[in-house]
């Protein structure tokens, strides 16, 4: 048999255990970290990955519809807000925020980009987006939990029914592992009709 020659050279700088830039958040993380009204149970939150009948023409990543049905003030489980963080999944299936380890991500990310809008019946909606922030939301952290993000970069916006593209700037942010690359929260402020939030094509660059 003829000698097939040496094996092809590999690039030692490409570590298969590191998420390399740029990347679609949905390729490595899922929207499984929920907090707020009813701890996201009892019909407070539904997530539909097939509901985006219309979406930006350039969007390539997953598009999801999050429907938040706020609890009435004073009802069991009421907190007046709801939030969702993208995370990995713990080694034994953990999804609770602070219990899920981060993933090693190549340093040097400059930004997070994504599209967002709300359903026509939702009216204008204020949404607090974040890059990072797992167990470190607005500086609040539980030291008894094993995992947290070392950073949390905010992007607070008002959404309308029209598509809007947003950027969260990461220049100057340092990290080694990322627990949550992206998340959002909505304060209901006494409203109880469902809020329809669409988010598409979330990516780190």
């Amino acid at each position: 048999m003829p000698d097939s020659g040496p094996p092809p050279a590999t690039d030692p700088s490409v570590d298969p255990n590191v998420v390399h830039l740029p990347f679609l958040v949905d390729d490595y993380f899922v929207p499984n970290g929920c907090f707020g009204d009813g701890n996201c149970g009892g019909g407070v939150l539904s997530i539909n990955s097939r509901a985006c009948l219309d979406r930006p023409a350039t969007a390539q990543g997953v598009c999801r519809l999050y429907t938040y049905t706020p609890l009435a003030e004073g009802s069991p489980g009421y907190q007046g807000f709801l939030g969702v963080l993208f995370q990995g999944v713990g080694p034994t299936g953990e999804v609770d925020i602070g219990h899920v380890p981060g993933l090693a991500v190549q340093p040097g990310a400059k930004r997070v980009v994504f599209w967002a809008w709300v359903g026509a019946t939702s009216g204008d909606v204020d949404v607090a987006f974040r890059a990072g922030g797992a167990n470190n939301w607005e500086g609040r952290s539980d030291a008894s939990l094993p995992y947290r993000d070392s950073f949390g970069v905010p992007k607070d916006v008002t959404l309308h029914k029209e598509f809007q593209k947003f950027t969260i700037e990461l220049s100057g942010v340092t990290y080694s592992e990322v627990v949550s690359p992206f998340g959002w929260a909505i304060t209901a402020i006494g409203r109880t009709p469902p809020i329809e939030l669409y988010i598409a094509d979330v990516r780190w660059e």
Side-chain angles (χ1 to χ4, degrees):
M1 171 180 268
D3 186 357
S4 60
T10 58
D11 184 349
S13 68
V14 178
D15 185 341
N17 298 313
V18 174
V19 178
H20 288 267
L21 300 167
F23 66 89
L24 288 168
V25 165
D26 281 289
D27 286 348
Y28 299 94
F29 301 86
V30 291
N32 61 4
C34 195
F35 58 98
D37 271 357
N39 198 26
C40 306
V44 169
L45 174 69
S46 68
I47 303 176
N48 189 334
S49 300
R50 301 179 181 274
C52 298
L53 301 179
D54 193 15
R55 57 188 287 174
T58 59
Q60 297 177 355
V62 175
C63 178
R64 290 187 178 88
L65 166 60
Y66 302 86
T67 303
Y68 167 31
T69 304
L71 294 177
E73 186 172 359
S75 62
Y78 170 81
Q79 296 192 56
F81 62 88
L82 187 85
V84 171
L85 297 182
F86 280 71
Q87 306 177 115
V89 178
T92 57
E94 297 92 342
V95 297
D96 290 338
I97 296 169
H99 293 272
V100 181
L103 298 180
V105 174
Q106 180 184 11
K110 301 300 183 185
R111 65 191 67 86
V112 182
V113 295
F114 61 97
W115 292 86
W117 64 102
V118 291
T121 62
S122 299
D124 293 348
V125 179
D126 294 331
V127 182
F129 291 105
R130 293 291 186 277
N135 192 20
N136 189 13
W137 191 274
E138 296 183 344
R140 296 191 297 271
S141 181
D142 185 343
S144 70
L145 299 177
Y147 302 107
R148 67 187 293 273
D149 276 316
S150 61
F151 66 98
V153 183
K155 182 75 173 185
D156 299 335
V157 305
T158 300
L159 296 183
H160 319 286
K161 64 179 181 179
E162 295 82 15
F163 308 143
Q164 297 180 79
K165 189 174 185 178
F166 298 100
T167 299
I168 303 175
E169 296 292 342
L170 295 180
S171 298
V173 173
T174 58
Y175 56 85
S176 56
E177 293 187 343
V178 176
V179 178
S180 176
F182 181 77
W184 58 266
I186 295 173
T187 300
I189 317 178
R191 63 186 288 174
T192 54
I195 299 169
E196 294 182 335
L197 170 63
Y198 293 86
I199 302 174
D201 200 22
V202 185
R203 61 181 66 226
W204 273 46
E205 300 178 342

